[in-house]
Amino acid sequence: MHTTPLALHMTDGLLNAPTALLFGAIALAGIGFSLVKARATLDDRTAPMAGLVAAFVFAAQMINFPVLPGVSGHLLGGALVAILVGPWVGTLCVSIVLVVQSLLFADGGLTMLGANITNMALLGTAASYLVAVALRPLARRNRSGLLVTAFLAGTINTVMASVGFLLEYWIGGAAGFSVAQAVLPMLGIHLLIGIGEGIITALTVGAVAAGRPDLIRLLRATPSSGRPTARGDTESASGTVEGRS
Amino acid sequence: MSAGDGGVLHLPGDSALHRLAPQIKLLAAFGVVLCVVATPRAAFWAFGGFALLLGALAAVARIPPGWLARRLLIELPFVVLALVLPFALGGERTEVAGLALSVPGLLAAWNILAKGTLGLFCSLTLAATTSPRELLLGLQRLRTPTTLIMISSLMLRYVGVVIGEAGRMRLARISRGDSPRFLWQANATARGVGTLFLRCYERGERVHLAMVARGWSGELPEPNEPRQVTRGQEVRNWLLGLSPAATSAVIAGVAVWTS
């Protein structure tokens, strides 16, 4: 049984047309800004690396975990990619996954695409990255610090996406119930889903930290210096490729 | 979503809708759904009109009705929400089959059901008649930045590989005697996700090096698409392709005007 949580992949008709257009414009602006910033940090490796990370997000989103009986959440991955590859490439990857899901898989309404991108790719990723940056000293200290940081970032990611939905609904909701009626159930359910997202984010980051700690962008000295670290990546990659089966 | 082919909804075919240029289809689909959403919920006839229009398009594209009906079930969570609203909302009450239901609640439920279903119907028609490659071509012709197109095309190319890799890792884990249940799945799942990320990232590095070896400089080579359509045909295609959106705009316009 696949049950998609409410704020995620909104269907057409939940928001009125002007609000849908407004958030479409916000999403375009956000993606454009992330694109400029991502280009500045990753050079000619941008497309292949981001393509594979987006494929990873796509695959990871197919993992469902139980939240309540009959309700299952699935990973958004915004916090995960923000910690692993940085906020700009992360935002692009999650946005592309959402666009492809909407256009090729009919998952999430076409007019809600802007709102869905704003919630999950922009707000969710930005909030979780800010949390992660604020906790960076803790994350650098030891492994459990890193896990706690990733857990909180993952939780905030989902909660912030639902806050985004409430904001959009407050501006132009068309489903009949008032925002006041929706706040508690929405935040409650998404806190639960967020804890699931947080646990999976923390364990995933933990697994990456055990194998290739150099890949965790959050832990690097200066997150914006692409070139020198990029070289290091490639060398260590060629080392590990041999070890793989 | 089914794995393997990545679960793409595309139904190969040769109908007029399949042959229509993807950029026209994309714009038309967005136009139709926007009109559906903009229609006042009490204009019941208008939604009937949209349903007829989309039904006619599905018939032109020869999409099997059973295929559509099964895919429309993606909407189920929203149906549950819609069923709760007539009971949960206040306001004027009406008697339906012995139950006192809220009138605003019923209208709101209708609003979500009608618009959500029609929107999904439109998305499914677009997805069924457009292959992933055509879709990217359409987005590219609509002036999407090439970096985004490249990321998307690489993603679509590798998503099947990544999902296959995830399946093999799961199989390997289970065949070694691991069978976690309930919450304990989380640990194994997340370790799997972590490993999957590493494999994706390293594959990305290898793909990049392979691309560099084949002359990659960070720019997509110019596609030399054979142009078989004349100017007049192109104008006709655009007019014909956007006619569903224009029809929807008329329906929505009349509905707004009369309500």
Side-chain angles (χ1 to χ4, degrees):
Chain A
M1 176 82 210
H2 180 96
T3 316
T4 316
L6 242 191
L8 326 173
H9 300 104
M10 282 187 278
T11 185
D12 291 303
L14 280 181
L15 301 178
N16 62 29
T19 316
L21 288 176
L22 170 70
F23 282 95
I26 291 175
L28 281 182
I31 293 174
F33 187 69
S34 306
L35 188 58
V36 172
K37 295 297 246 180
R39 271 187 189 141
T41 54
L42 266 177
D43 59 66
D44 71 320
R45 305 194 323 152
T46 305
M49 298 313 301
L52 264 294
V53 174
F56 162 76
V57 173
F58 198 104
Q61 286 208 351
M62 291 170 85
I63 297 166
N64 285 280
F65 49 87
V67 178
L68 293 171
V71 179
S72 68
H74 71 71
L75 208 63
L76 296 183
L80 190 56
V81 288
I83 291 172
L84 292 177
V85 296
W88 310 118
V89 178
T91 300
L92 288 183
C93 291
V94 180
S95 304
I96 286 172
V97 167
L98 291 172
V99 170
V100 167
Q101 278 175 342
S102 177
L103 293 178
L104 286 182
F105 300 88
D107 194 0
L110 289 181
T111 57
M112 291 298 100
L113 191 52
N116 283 331
I117 289 177
T118 307
N119 292 343
M120 288 182 267
L122 304 183
L123 283 176
T125 308
S128 54
Y129 190 70
L130 288 178
V131 168
V133 167
L135 293 175
R136 182 144 55 189
L138 178 71
R140 284 219 178 100
R141 195 173 303 155
N142 54 27
R143 186 177 162 81
S144 41
L146 178 66
L147 293 188
V148 168
T149 306
F151 171 76
L152 288 175
T155 309
I156 290 294
N157 180 36
T158 311
V159 173
M160 200 59 202
S162 75
V163 169
F165 167 76
L166 290 171
L167 182 76
E168 283 145 16
Y169 194 80
W170 178 65
I171 294 174
F177 54 89
S178 70
V179 177
Q181 282 170 307
V183 167
L184 278 180
M186 281 296 288
L187 289 184
I189 287 184
H190 285 92
L191 190 61
L192 283 177
I193 299 174
I195 290 172
E197 170 108 14
I199 291 172
I200 301 222
T201 304
L203 292 173
T204 306
V205 171
V208 176
R212 290 272 308 264
D214 58 305
L215 287 191
I216 300 176
R217 195 163 194 94
L218 181 74
L219 298 183
R220 290 188 202 154
T222 44
S224 56
S225 66
R227 268 285 170 199
T229 39
R231 286 280 162 264
D233 284 351
T234 322
E235 278 161 28
S236 54
S238 51
T240 42
V241 166
E242 292 168 342
R244 270 168 36 87
S245 56
Chain B
M1 257 185 251
S2 63
D5 56 349
V8 175
L9 294 170
H10 181 233
L11 291 174
D14 193 36
S15 71
L17 238 63
H18 282 86
R19 286 196 310 266
L20 191 64
Q23 67 273 28
I24 306 178
K25 268 188 279 190
L26 272 172
L27 286 182
F30 273 100
V32 170
V33 182
L34 202 60
C35 290
V36 169
V37 171
T39 304
R41 58 192 186 183
F44 300 112
W45 63 269
F47 295 104
F50 290 129
L52 274 180
L53 176 72
L54 288 169
L57 287 175
V60 168
R62 295 198 200 88
I63 305 173
W67 184 92
L68 269 176
R70 258 175 289 131
R71 263 87 196 164
L72 283 170
L73 289 178
I74 303 179
E75 246 214 333
L76 222 53
F78 294 94
V79 175
V80 174
L81 172 77
L83 289 180
V84 169
L85 285 174
F87 298 97
L89 291 191
E92 197 188 329
R93 296 259 153 188
T94 181
E95 193 90 359
V96 178
L99 292 168
L101 298 179
S102 141
V103 173
L106 280 173
L107 272 177
W110 159 253
N111 188 48
I112 295 181
L113 273 185
K115 292 181 179 174
T117 309
L118 289 169
L120 185 56
F121 196 160
C122 190
S123 303
L124 285 172
T125 310
L126 174 70
T129 57
T130 318
S131 72
R133 209 192 70 82
E134 287 173 325
L135 180 90
L136 290 181
L137 194 63
L139 287 173
Q140 191 167 13
R141 289 184 186 156
L142 291 173
R143 309 249 191 291
T144 309
T146 43
T147 310
L148 290 182
I149 299 291
M150 282 188 292
I151 298 176
S152 312
S153 64
L154 280 157
M155 181 198 114
L156 284 171
R157 183 156 301 169
Y158 282 99
V159 78
V161 175
V162 171
I163 289 171
E165 184 128 52
R168 286 193 297 279
M169 280 161 53
R170 192 181 143 270
L171 204 63
R173 180 160 56 76
I174 288 171
S175 63
R176 282 163 177 77
D178 184 43
S179 67
R181 280 165 209 286
F182 191 55
L183 288 178
W184 287 262
Q185 289 175 57
N187 200 354
T189 306
R191 271 170 206 278
V193 175
T195 313
L196 192 65
F197 173 80
L198 289 181
R199 291 188 179 182
C200 284
Y201 200 93
E202 286 170 356
R203 189 185 292 275
E205 288 170 336
R206 294 199 300 278
V207 167
H208 172 244
L209 290 176
M211 285 163 76
V212 170
R214 287 162 178 77
W216 166 257
S217 60
E219 289 295 321
L220 203 65
E222 278 296 313
N224 38 1
E225 279 287 316
R227 272 187 116 26
Q228 320 109 319
V229 284
T230 62
R231 188 95 197 124
Q233 275 176 319
E234 200 176 328
V235 171
R236 218 188 53 204
N237 283 349
W238 272 98
L239 288 178
L240 202 64
L242 289 181
S243 62
T247 315
S248 309
V250 171
I251 297 177
V254 174
V256 170
W257 186 260
T258 53
S259 64

